[in-house]
Amino acid sequence: MPITLCSWGAAEEVTGSKHIIEIDGRRVLLDCGMFQGSRRKSREKNQNFPFDGEGVEALLLSHGHFDHSGAIPILVNHGFTGNVYCTPATRDISSLIMMDSAHLQAKDAEFIMKKRAKSGHEEDQTPVEPLYNEQDVLKSLSYFVGISYNRPFHVADGVKAQFFDAGHILGSALVRLEIKSNGKTVSVGFTGDLGRDNQAIIQDPEVLPPIDYLICESTYGNRLHDDLLKTRVELAEVVNQVWENRSKLIIPSFAVGRTQELVYHLHILRDENKIPEIPIFVDSPMAVNATSIFRTHPECYDEATRQAFIDHHKNPFGFETLRFVTSTSESISLNSMDGPMVIISSSGMCEGGRILHHLANNVSNPKNVILIVGFMAQHTLGRRLADRESELKIFGQSYPLRARVKILNAFSAHADYEEIKSWVRKLDKDSIKRVFLVHGEPDAQGHLKDVLLDDGVKSVEIMKLGEPVDLD
């Protein structure tokens, strides 16, 4: 029986990463994330879990972002009882993200039921249940096993694995599998989300030992990031513009990774006197908790951050003009405060959370600036902002977009196509039989496929949802 790979999520789309490797009828799962997009489409796709959890022996989790870890409680509710292997930092981040998701699902279900009750239509009174609750999260966490980088470990009969630093977010891992079946050994690499060299705080992506097959993300497969130093200059220009206009800079940002990186860069700009002492608010309870997790995992820091934190006792995640907002009342009060100010808030793709209130209150003021600092998936409010659509629907109400929208790609934690090509070059390309592209939209994947083939990769395939391929 051949070894097969099958993608049940993040196949020709960017979110919901789920990839199964089947060995002699046994299954090992790589990532188990939630699909993120419009609320209706997300609920529909996430409700219809595509496979039986009981048949999965183990889960290897690349990192804690919601679109890679958020569906683990659903997997457990579908019968999974195996181990979830990840780095210690990923366990802590996943716990935070899954708990937050359970809380938000409960709130959303309550909101929908109240809305239906007001409508008076009896056929709309079918109970809305969250996909999972906090007890489901606690049960799922009992299956987590923390494994440090560069330590080989047993996954299942005939299957060994090892984590290497992916340089994407705190604790993110490249996965290398060594599979023995029918008298032969096959090695498979999985990028999860591949990071970038010279990112703030965390280390650069490591190079995998020789592999036969590579499962590679392709989020920015048709785009190049701007130079980070140039982008920091542009960030300073935007902050100074907001200061002069006495207005607001609104930054939708993922609570884990992107928010801490933005705070780090704003800290440097303030230290260098390149921006004024403008009030900066991180309005996300999860970002506050995530920042605490960052403080407890110095083993993931790069040398510069380690020296600042440990040798000089300097906190890169806090300075005089920075305020962390946790209470709802304080969050609401930001909307009635006059600028200048910077508000960093989640969710990163603007599909939920406190960022929606800040956008509703600020997108129609031409003096304000909306700063886009990461990938925005199709059919999200964030994509509509990035595309600068003239009218935006928020909480069912239309708002004219008059604020300036500024896009800074350099803060993305995903490698662009040149960076992916450069990283693949560092691998033993002669040993790689095939590269499988996942976690990307079709245009990006088509472009990256051509880039890798032109650079000498033997074979590049784009994974199709639910269609297995043999690893012969």
Side-chain angles (χ1 to χ4, degrees), residues 404-415:
R404 176 190 175 197
V405 176
K406 174 73 174 176
I407 299 174
L408 293 180
N409 282 326
F411 290 122
S412 172
H414 290 266

Side-chain angles (χ1 to χ4, degrees), residues 328-346:
T328 303
S329 59
E330 190 177 0
S331 175
I332 293 170
S333 72
L334 296 179
N335 290 313
S336 59
M337 291 169 61
D338 293 329
M341 68 173 65
V342 177
I343 299 174
I344 304 170
S345 188
S346 56

Side-chain angles (χ1 to χ4, degrees), residues 114-147:
K114 283 182 179 178
K115 191 174 180 181
R116 286 181 179 180
K118 286 181 182 178
S119 72
H121 298 299
E122 291 185 9
E123 64 272 18
D124 287 341
Q125 302 309 308
T126 307
V128 176
E129 296 291 338
L131 297 174
Y132 55 83
N133 58 36
E134 292 178 356
Q135 289 302 314
D136 296 325
V137 173
L138 291 173
K139 181 180 178 183
S140 301
L141 288 170
S142 69
Y143 298 125
F144 275 61
V145 178
I147 305 285

Side-chain angles (χ1 to χ4, degrees), residues 107-254:
K107 289 287 186 185
D108 281 350
E110 183 182 342
F111 173 77
I112 292 169
M113 291 309 296
K114 283 182 179 178
K115 191 174 180 181
R116 286 181 179 180
K118 286 181 182 178
S119 72
H121 298 299
E122 291 185 9
E123 64 272 18
D124 287 341
Q125 302 309 308
T126 307
V128 176
E129 296 291 338
L131 297 174
Y132 55 83
N133 58 36
E134 292 178 356
Q135 289 302 314
D136 296 325
V137 173
L138 291 173
K139 181 180 178 183
S140 301
L141 288 170
S142 69
Y143 298 125
F144 275 61
V145 178
I147 305 285
S148 298
Y149 294 125
N150 303 303
R151 295 182 64 87
F153 59 95
H154 173 84
V155 176
D157 285 346
V159 183
K160 290 195 301 184
Q162 196 169 355
F163 291 141
F164 297 85
D165 200 324
H168 175 63
I169 65 166
L170 195 81
S172 61
L174 307 163
V175 182
R176 184 182 186 276
L177 287 167
E178 196 169 280
I179 303 165
K180 292 184 178 179
S181 175
N182 298 321
K184 64 178 181 178
T185 301
V186 172
S187 55
V188 180
F190 173 53
T191 62
D193 283 349
L194 182 64
R196 311 172 59 202
D197 288 344
N198 303 314
Q199 275 200 102
I201 304 169
I202 59 175
Q203 299 183 70
D204 293 347
E206 292 187 286
V207 178
L208 288 174
I211 49 176
D212 298 312
Y213 302 97
L214 175 65
I215 307 164
C216 184
E217 73 124 314
S218 51
T219 310
Y220 281 91
N222 59 348
R223 279 180 262 187
L224 295 173
H225 298 316
D226 296 327
D227 176 74
L228 184 56
L229 291 178
K230 176 189 170 190
T231 298
R232 195 182 285 168
V233 171
E234 290 185 74
L235 176 61
E237 288 173 353
V238 172
V239 173
N240 285 313
Q241 176 195 335
V242 167
W243 175 266
E244 290 167 10
N245 289 339
R246 319 303 289 175
S247 58
K248 295 182 180 181
L249 173 60
I250 310 297
I251 311 178
S253 178
F254 290 110

Side-chain angles (χ1 to χ4, degrees), residues 332-368:
I332 293 170
S333 72
L334 296 179
N335 290 313
S336 59
M337 291 169 61
D338 293 329
M341 68 173 65
V342 177
I343 299 174
I344 304 170
S345 188
S346 56
S347 72
M349 294 190 194
C350 309
E351 280 300 304
R354 294 180 178 182
I355 188 63
L356 294 177
H357 297 276
H358 298 306
L359 291 172
N361 280 276
N362 292 286
V363 293
S364 299
N365 185 339
K367 289 187 176 182
N368 293 333

Side-chain angles (χ1 to χ4, degrees), residues 267 270-271 277-280 315 317-323:
H267 193 173
R270 182 67 205 98
D271 277 355
E277 291 187 0
I278 187 171
I280 299 168
N315 181 4
F317 307 124
F319 48 102
E320 294 82 359
T321 59
L322 179 70
R323 299 288 181 271

